[in-house]
Amino acid sequence: MSKVILDVSVSLDGFTAGPDVRPEEPMGDGGERLHEWMGNASPVDQDMRRQVDAAVGAVVIGRHTFDLGLRPWGGTPWPGVPSFVVTHRTREDLLGDNGGTFAFDGLEAAVRRAREAAGDKHVIVMGADVARQLLRAGLLDEIWLHIAPVLLGGGTRLFDGEQVELVPVEAVAGGAFVPHLRYRVHNA
């Protein structure tokens, strides 16, 4: 059965995007620095990126992340992969320029549909707000953190008051001093 996994790059001070997120800067001021490890020549970082890409069977995305990401992605975040946008403002499905489809639904329906679409792969979660909603609803199975060596000083917090027990699964030291950490969410 597929897992619902939050795969996210985060700053040392706990932000997934920098201050002043806007269409011209969808990652906020300085937020793109969180993803620099993805272009790193380190074999460890490259392998981690390949593992994440290979795991993706479907994506659950928050509406705000969808609104900001559609233009830069040119379609769905992973070409051809179905993406489910969590929203109260549903609409007809949207075919992305890269062959992936966006479907719009509520939280539980989006997760159910994404699990079905993922098959034997996993559902990757994008967006801090939807990640917090999934955590509170007990629908998040794992958290994969890539901790960037940067302090953003503000922006979008990954977690904000949530409490949950995390069970360590794996820790890998990346090539640019970026630890890659995997945790299983312990839903009591």
Side-chain angles (χ1 to χ4, degrees):
M1 183 170 152
S2 65
K3 294 179 186 174
V4 178
I5 299 169
L6 171 61
D7 175 69
V8 63
S9 296
V10 63
S11 66
L12 284 171
D13 51 352
F15 296 100
T16 61
D20 198 19
V21 171
R22 58 197 183 281
E24 306 79 44
E25 288 290 337
M27 289 297 299
D29 295 333
E32 282 299 327
R33 295 170 57 202
L34 298 173
H35 298 122
E36 288 177 354
W37 71 269
M38 292 180 188
N40 191 334
S42 158
V44 172
D45 292 333
Q46 288 177 7
D47 185 55
M48 188 58 59
R49 181 68 186 166
R50 279 191 294 274
Q51 285 180 42
V52 171
D53 289 345
V56 179
V59 181
V60 169
I61 306 172
R63 179 63 191 240
H64 188 63
T65 301
F66 163 78
D67 288 342
L68 291 169
L70 184 60
R71 184 180 49 83
W73 294 327
T76 54
W78 281 270
V81 173
S83 299
F84 299 85
V85 181
V86 175
T87 183
H88 297 291
R89 297 175 286 146
T90 59
R91 55 172 278 184
E92 293 295 316
D93 290 357
L94 171 69
L95 181 62
D97 293 340
N98 62 7
T101 301
F102 288 102
F104 300 81
D105 219 326
L107 185 71
E108 291 183 11
V111 170
R112 183 187 72 253
R113 293 173 68 192
R115 280 187 190 266
E116 291 168 2
D120 61 350
K121 292 189 173 190
H122 298 305
V123 176
I124 300 297
V125 176
M126 296 181 70
D129 182 59
V130 76
R132 289 190 297 267
Q133 291 178 51
L134 291 167
L135 191 61
R136 286 190 298 268
L139 296 172
L140 193 61
D141 298 310
E142 291 187 7
I143 298 173
W144 297 357
L145 293 175
H146 314 283
I147 303 175
V150 62
L151 296 172
L152 292 175
T156 305
R157 282 218 173 274
L158 178 55
F159 300 113
D160 196 18
E162 291 76 22
Q163 295 181 355
V164 68
E165 182 181 342
L166 300 176
V167 179
V169 174
E170 179 181 32
V172 176
F177 298 101
V178 176
H180 304 283
L181 309 171
R182 291 185 178 180
Y183 297 97
R184 183 173 46 82
V185 176
H186 180 71
N187 292 314

